[in-house]
Amino acid sequence: MTAVEDAIPEIAPAPEPSPVIEINDVWKLHKLGDEVVRALISAELTVMPGEFVCLMGPSGSGKSTLLNIIGGLDRPTKGSVLIAGRDTAKLTESQFASLRHDTIGFIFQSYNLIPFLSAVENVELPLMFEPYDRKSLRKRALELLDLVGLSHRVHHQPTKMSGGEQQRTAIARSLISSPTLVLADEPTANLDHRTGETVVRMLRDLCSTMGVTVVASTHDPTVADEASRVVRMRDGQIIN
């Protein structure tokens, strides 16, 4: 090796990205009278930044339970759940609520929009009672509605919007706090096939253009077709 080559510093490899979600040996048990129902059995799952992961399985397979546990809407009976590197079992309810607020956006099957608020007010809602500048918040909400193709519906209430428009409003709302992770529970269940395809492409684009990680539970093969990975579940177990 020459003196010139000796003088060239070695370039350290870029650090490996850390998982957004780490599920380790997670169980969820429910007691119904004398019977114990095993909603989740030793679930293991790792999700990396920017992935679009689809949880697929029949009703009762455990996919919604797993999604709720990832989002902190439920707690596991056993096992560990790490979100953005933080062990949720070690967090108080207040700390978990703060993590959820800062990191996770939710999209629900039934949209969960407030009927007497306009589209833009529904999008603003997660941050409406926080010390944000009102003009900046409104600007952000309008930008998100434009992103999902609803700039012409910003002042419409949910009852004046189609199911697809309501779900797109819900997608915009899920992004208002700039989350790194979006959880979608049956996002196309109440939509016709064509509208469902539009919604799924939006979820895919969140991953590819904004780097958001998306985990969706679904029966819909359209969602699976657009996902970067399909995780199949049956009887409370991950089977692939």
Side-chain angles (χ1 to χ4, degrees), residues 105-182:
F106 293 91
I107 302 170
F108 300 96
Q109 176 180 344
S110 56
Y111 320 134
N112 284 16
L113 301 177
I114 306 301
F116 56 83
L117 296 181
S118 66
V120 69
E121 289 168 338
N122 268 286
V123 174
E124 292 174 331
L125 190 60
L127 301 181
M128 193 174 284
F129 301 104
E130 300 197 14
Y132 283 86
D133 176 72
R134 297 295 303 167
K135 288 185 178 179
S136 297
L137 180 58
R138 177 56 57 97
K139 181 174 181 289
R140 168 74 173 158
L142 291 172
E143 289 172 347
L144 289 171
L145 284 169
D146 184 54
L147 178 71
V148 299
L150 288 178
S151 57
H152 63 300
R153 292 295 213 188
V154 296
H155 298 301
H156 285 66
Q157 294 178 335
T159 53
K160 303 293 177 63
M161 302 165 71
S162 68
E165 289 171 338
Q166 290 183 63
Q167 191 62 299
R168 284 187 279 159
T169 301
I171 292 173
R173 181 186 57 192
S174 76
L175 300 174
I176 191 66
S177 59
S178 301
T180 55
L181 171 64
V182 168

Side-chain angles (χ1 to χ4, degrees), residues 7-232:
I8 299 174
E10 291 187 6
I11 299 175
E16 290 292 322
S18 299
V20 177
I21 302 169
E22 294 176 84
I23 304 291
N24 301 300
D25 192 27
V26 164
W27 293 66
K28 182 63 180 180
L29 309 179
H30 299 286
K31 192 166 184 181
L32 296 177
D34 295 329
E35 182 183 1
V36 175
V37 177
R38 299 187 296 179
L40 281 178
I41 302 170
S42 193
E44 301 272 350
L45 179 66
T46 300
V47 180
M48 301 303 292
E51 279 198 281
F52 180 5
V53 176
C54 172
L55 305 178
M56 284 203 79
S59 296
S61 61
K63 57 189 186 298
S64 291
T65 299
L66 182 56
L67 204 69
N68 288 339
I69 285 174
I70 292 170
L73 304 179
D74 200 358
R75 295 277 193 160
T77 305
K78 173 189 171 186
S80 67
V81 179
L82 278 70
I83 304 297
R86 300 183 68 183
D87 187 344
T88 59
K90 297 179 180 178
L91 302 179
T92 64
E93 288 298 330
S94 175
Q95 289 171 330
F96 203 160
S98 179
L99 173 66
R100 195 162 49 230
H101 177 277
D102 296 339
T103 307
I104 304 173
F106 293 91
I107 302 170
F108 300 96
Q109 176 180 344
S110 56
Y111 320 134
N112 284 16
L113 301 177
I114 306 301
F116 56 83
L117 296 181
S118 66
V120 69
E121 289 168 338
N122 268 286
V123 174
E124 292 174 331
L125 190 60
L127 301 181
M128 193 174 284
F129 301 104
E130 300 197 14
Y132 283 86
D133 176 72
R134 297 295 303 167
K135 288 185 178 179
S136 297
L137 180 58
R138 177 56 57 97
K139 181 174 181 289
R140 168 74 173 158
L142 291 172
E143 289 172 347
L144 289 171
L145 284 169
D146 184 54
L147 178 71
V148 299
L150 288 178
S151 57
H152 63 300
R153 292 295 213 188
V154 296
H155 298 301
H156 285 66
Q157 294 178 335
T159 53
K160 303 293 177 63
M161 302 165 71
S162 68
E165 289 171 338
Q166 290 183 63
Q167 191 62 299
R168 284 187 279 159
T169 301
I171 292 173
R173 181 186 57 192
S174 76
L175 300 174
I176 191 66
S177 59
S178 301
T180 55
L181 171 64
V182 168
L183 303 178
D185 189 14
E186 298 284 359
T188 62
N190 296 323
L191 306 176
D192 62 70
H193 180 73
R194 185 173 179 179
T195 306
E197 285 184 329
T198 299
V199 166
V200 174
R201 283 195 297 270
M202 285 182 180
L203 295 177
R204 179 200 62 196
D205 291 346
L206 290 180
C207 302
S208 60
T209 64
M210 297 176 65
V212 176
T213 304
V214 176
V215 180
S217 68
T218 188
H219 295 86
D220 186 353
T222 303
V223 182
D225 289 343
E226 295 290 351
S228 55
R229 179 156 55 109
V230 177
V231 174
R232 300 190 183 277

